[in-house]
C-alpha cells in the first residue's frame, strides 16, 4: 500500500485498527478467564462487548470511505497481546497476575487511544463528519475503559498484589 496522501494514511490506520479490534475480541475472553478478581473479569467481559461494537463501527467507517472492510496486520497489537499472554503464562500469584493483566490491558487501551485520536483528527481534516462521530464514540469508550482499569488497579488489585 502506498501512503502518499492523508486518505491513504487514514485507510491504513483503519485497517490496522480493524485488525486490532478483531484480535482483541479473541484475547479478552482469555484475559477474563485468567483474572482472579471478579471485578476484573467483569471489566474484561464488559469491554469485550464494547470491542465487538468497535468492530461494527469500523465496518461503518469502511462503508463511509467506500472501501471493503479488510484488516491489515498490526504488529503493535500483536506484540502487546503476546506480552499479556506471557504474563498469563508466567505469573504464579493470582493477585500479581491481575496487576499484570491490567497493565497489559492498559497498554492496549493507550495504543487504541492514540490511534483513534489520530483517526478522528484526520477524519475531521478530510471532511468525514459521519466518521468523526463514529470514531469519537469509540475513542470515548477507550478512555473510559482505561479509567476503569486504573480505578480497579488503584482501589484493590495493586494493594493485593503488593
Amino acid at each position: 500500500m502506498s501512503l502518499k496522501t492523508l486518505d491513504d494514511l487514514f485507510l491504513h490506520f483503519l485497517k490496522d485498527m480493524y485488525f486490532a479490534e478483531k484480535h482483541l475480541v479473541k484475547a479478552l475472553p482469555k484475559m477474563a478467564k485468567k483474572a482472579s478478581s471478579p471485578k476484573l473479569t467483569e471489566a474484561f467481559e464488559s469491554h469485550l462487548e464494547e470491542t465487538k461494537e468497535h468492530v461494527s463501527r469500523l465496518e461503518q467507517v469502511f462503508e463511509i470511505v467506500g472501501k471493503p472492510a479488510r484488516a491489515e496486520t498490526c504488529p503493535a497489537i500483536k506484540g502487546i497481546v503476546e506480552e499479556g499472554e506471557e504474563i498469563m503464562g508466567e505469573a504464579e500469584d493470582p493477585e500479581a497476575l491481575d496487576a499484570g493483566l491490567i497493565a497489559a490491558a492498559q497498554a492496549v487501551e493507550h495504543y487504541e487511544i492514540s490511534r483513534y485520536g489520530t483517526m478522528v483528527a484526520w477524519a475531521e481534516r478530510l471532511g468525514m463528519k459521519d466518521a468523526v462521530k463514529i470514531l469519537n464514540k469509540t475513542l470515548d469508550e477507550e478512555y473510559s475503559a482505561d479509567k476503569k482499569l486504573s480505578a480497579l488497579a488503584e482501589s484493590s488489585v495493586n494493594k493485593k498484589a503488593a
Side-chain angles (χ1 to χ4, degrees), residues 50-67:
E50 283 182 340
T51 302
K52 289 176 182 176
E53 183 61 31
H54 299 169
V55 171
S56 296
R57 287 189 199 133
L58 289 171
E59 290 168 349
Q60 292 172 17
V61 176
F62 276 109
E63 285 181 32
I64 290 168
V65 299
K67 301 287 182 183

Side-chain angles (χ1 to χ4, degrees), residues 10 58 61 116 119-120 123 131-139:
F10 182 83
L58 289 171
V61 176
Y116 280 114
M119 290 172 65
V120 165
V132 168
K133 288 178 194 168
I134 292 167
L135 295 169
N136 254 330
K137 187 169 171 97
T138 299
L139 179 59

Side-chain angles (χ1 to χ4, degrees), residues 106-122:
Q106 286 193 289
V108 168
E109 295 308 323
H110 295 175
Y111 179 80
E112 290 179 313
I113 288 166
S114 165
R115 286 297 196 230
Y116 280 114
T118 297
M119 290 172 65
V120 165
W122 289 349

